[in-house]
C-alpha cells in the first residue's frame, strides 16, 4: 500500500519565522516528489518539485529529500500571512500521484 | 493562457442521473488525471491517462468512467451517481508521463442527493 503521511496541523507560526512542514512516504520506488499549496476553495498549485536527495531552494522555499529515510520536507523562510494555506505533499509512483492529507499553516501577523 | 478547464464548476444532481464533467487542457500535455478531494482523505486519484486511447484506474475508480479520444479532453463520467460521490473533483494535466508538475483545473463541486 502506497501511503503519504503528513501532520494535519494546524501549524501556526509568527510572521517572519520559519515554517517547517514534513512528509513521509512508504514506497521506496517513489520517483518524484512535490509540494503544492492550496488556498481554501481553490485548486492546488505547485510550490516545489524535487527528484534527487538533498536540498532544493527557490526563493523563500527549500525542499529537502532523504530517500533513505523516506521523507521530504518543506521549509518556508520569512513566513508571510499570504503563506497561510494547506500544503499538500505528493509523490509519483508507478504512473500515479499520491497525496498526503495536507498540513494547514497559519502565519500570524 | 495555459489552463485546464473543467465544467460544470458546481452541480447538484439526484441519485442515478448520469452526468459528465468535462476537462480540457490547452498545453498539449500527455498526462491527464482526475482526483476527488474529501475532508480528512485528501486528494485521491480516480483515473489517469498517459496518451490518447490509453486510460488506467487510480485508487478510487469505482462508479466512474473516463475516455481520452483527443489529447486535450479527458471527461469524467458518472453513469449512476450515488450520494457517496458527493465531493470536490479536480482534473489535472502534466507535460510528462514520468512524474512532472501537475496543472490543476479550478475544481467541480458535485452534490448527489
Amino acid at each position: 500500500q502506497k501511503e503519504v503521511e503528513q501532520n494535519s496541523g494546524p501549524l501556526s507560526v509568527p510572521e517572519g519565522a520559519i515554517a517547517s512542514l514534513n512528509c513521509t512516504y512508504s514506497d521506496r520506488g517513489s520517483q518524484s516528489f512535490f509540494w503544492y499549496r492550496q488556498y481554501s476553495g481553490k485548486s492546488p498549485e505547485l510550490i516545489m518539485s524535487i527528484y534527487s536527495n538533498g536540498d532544493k531552494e527557490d526563493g523563500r522555499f527549500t525542499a529537502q529529500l532523504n530517500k533513505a529515510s523516506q521523507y521530504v520536507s518543506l521549509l518556508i523562510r520569512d513566513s508571510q500571512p499570504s503563506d497561510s494555506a494547506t500544503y499538500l505533499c505528493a509523490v509519483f509512483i508507478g504512473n500515479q500521484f499520491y497525496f498526503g492529507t495536507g498540513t494547514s499553516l497559519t502565519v500570524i501577523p | 493562457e495555459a489552463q485546464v478547464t473543467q465544467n460544470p464548476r458546481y452541480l447538484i444532481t439526484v441519485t442515478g442521473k448520469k452526468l459528465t464533467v468535462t476537462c480540457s487542457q490547452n498545453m498539449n500535455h500527455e498526462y491527464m488525471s482526475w482526483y476527488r478531494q474529501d475532508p480528512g482523505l485528501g486528494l485521491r486519484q480516480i483515473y489517469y491517462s498517459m496518451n490518447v486511447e490509453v486510460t488506467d484506474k487510480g485508487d478510487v475508480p469505482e462508479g466512474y468512467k473516463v475516455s481520452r479520444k483527443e489529447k486535450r479532453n479527458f471527461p469524467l463520467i458518472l453513469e449512476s451517481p450515488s450520494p457517496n460521490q458527493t465531493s470536490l473533483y479536480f482534473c489535472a494535466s502534466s507535460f510528462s508521463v514520468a512524474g512532472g508538475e501537475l496543472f490543476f483545473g479550478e475544481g467541480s463541486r458535485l452534490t448527489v442527493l
Side-chain angles (χ1 to χ4, degrees):
Chain A
Q1 185 174 359
K2 300 173 178 61
E3 292 182 341
V4 180
E5 305 256 355
Q6 295 180 252
N7 287 331
S8 60
L11 174 66
S12 294
V13 299
E15 185 175 353
I18 296 174
S20 177
L21 306 166
N22 298 308
C23 171
T24 59
Y25 58 94
S26 62
D27 194 315
R28 289 190 177 273
S30 304
Q31 302 155 246
S32 311
F33 307 85
F34 306 88
W35 284 99
Y36 288 85
R37 177 176 63 198
Q38 186 175 26
Y39 293 113
S40 180
K42 301 294 186 182
S43 56
E45 56 180 341
L46 183 74
I47 297 296
M48 294 283 285
S49 59
I50 187 165
Y51 301 94
S52 55
N53 278 332
D55 294 0
K56 180 181 178 183
E57 187 174 317
D58 184 1
R60 296 185 296 111
F61 300 95
T62 299
Q64 299 173 317
L65 174 61
N66 184 322
K67 288 187 177 181
S69 300
Q70 294 177 247
Y71 83 79
V72 56
S73 63
L74 179 70
L75 298 177
I76 307 174
R77 290 181 299 280
D78 188 23
S79 296
Q80 300 297 308
S82 59
D83 295 327
S84 298
T86 296
Y87 289 80
L88 307 174
C89 174
V91 175
F92 184 78
I93 313 164
N95 301 329
Q96 290 195 65
F97 287 87
Y98 296 87
F99 287 81
T101 53
T103 299
S104 176
L105 172 66
T106 300
V107 180
I108 303 166
Chain B
E1 180 188 355
Q3 58 186 1
V4 179
T5 303
Q6 295 179 227
N7 279 296
R9 295 285 315 282
Y10 302 91
L11 180 64
I12 300 174
T13 189
V14 295
T15 299
K17 186 176 181 181
K18 181 180 178 180
L19 68 93
T20 298
V21 186
T22 63
C23 174
S24 181
Q25 51 91 7
N26 63 0
M27 296 170 279
N28 201 36
H29 283 175
E30 300 287 339
Y31 188 96
M32 297 189 73
S33 51
W34 276 102
Y35 304 83
R36 61 178 290 173
Q37 187 171 37
D38 303 289
L41 296 177
L43 277 163
R44 293 179 292 166
Q45 193 162 23
I46 303 170
Y47 269 95
Y48 65 96
S49 169
M50 299 178 71
N51 208 336
V52 174
E53 302 292 2
V54 179
T55 63
D56 280 293
K57 296 177 180 179
D59 271 1
V60 287
E62 295 78 18
Y64 306 94
K65 290 174 63 176
V66 292
S67 67
R68 187 96 180 268
K69 293 184 171 60
E70 304 165 283
K71 194 172 185 179
R72 63 183 293 129
N73 296 323
F74 191 47
L76 180 70
I77 303 156
L78 286 74
E79 292 272 2
S80 183
S82 61
N84 65 11
Q85 292 178 296
T86 293
S87 187
L88 177 59
Y89 292 86
F90 287 102
C91 179
S93 69
S94 175
F95 65 91
S96 170
V97 297
E101 173 187 358
L102 281 172
F103 291 82
F104 284 85
E106 293 184 298
S108 297
R109 186 167 292 282
L110 170 66
T111 301
V112 183
L113 301 175

